[in-house]
Amino acid sequence: MALFLVHQLLQKGFSIDVPFVHAYLDPLLSIPIMLGLLSVERNWLFDRKRLTVLDTVISTVVLAVVFEVFFPRWSEAFTYDPWDFLAYALGGLLFWFFVNPRTTRETT
C-alpha cells in the first residue's frame, strides 16, 4: 500500500514518471490486493483463515490470463505484455509470504 501511495504521489503530485514502475506496479500489486480480498471473503463465509498454496497459484494464474489475454481482446485500452506475467507471479509470492495470515499451528 505504501509503495502504491508513493508511486501515486510521485506521478500525480510531483509529475515524476518512472516508466518501469508505472508499467509493472499495477500487475505486481493487483494479485496481493485481489487475493487479500478473496482471503477476507473465505474467512468471513467459511472461517478459513488462510488460502492454500493451490488456491494462491490457481487464482494468480487465472487472474494473469484474464488480465493479459482476455482484457486486451475485449478492449483496446488494455495491452498484452509478456513481462506482466512475471509481475503477477511476484505479486503471488508477495501475497503468500506477507499478506496470507499464518495459523498458529504453522508458526510453531
Side-chain angles (χ1 to χ4, degrees):
M1 182 70 163
L3 187 60
F4 173 78
L5 292 174
V6 168
H7 174 251
Q8 290 299 308
L9 180 66
L10 288 175
Q11 187 178 24
K12 306 271 194 267
F14 298 110
S15 298
I16 298 172
D17 190 26
V18 183
F20 181 81
V21 172
H22 181 68
Y24 297 109
L25 190 64
D26 287 343
L28 177 72
L29 296 180
S30 66
I31 298 299
I33 291 169
M34 295 189 80
L35 293 185
L37 292 172
L38 177 63
S39 180
V40 167
E41 181 248 356
R42 293 245 176 122
N43 184 24
W44 187 65
L45 290 178
F46 306 112
D47 199 31
R48 289 183 55 195
K49 302 284 186 223
R50 183 168 164 82
L51 296 182
T52 66
V53 172
L54 188 61
D55 291 335
T56 303
V57 170
I58 289 175
S59 298
T60 300
V61 169
V62 167
L63 289 169
V65 169
V66 167
F67 294 155
E68 287 301 311
V69 176
F70 293 116
F71 279 7
R73 289 183 185 180
W74 292 328
S75 172
E76 291 182 9
F78 297 93
T79 56
Y80 171 81
D81 181 359
W83 288 103
D84 281 351
F85 287 103
L86 178 61
Y88 291 121
L90 292 174
L93 289 173
L94 282 174
F95 169 78
W96 181 256
F97 288 109
F98 298 106
V99 178
N100 204 18
R102 301 220 189 289
T103 62
T104 55
R105 190 173 58 127
E106 289 177 337
T107 57
T108 57

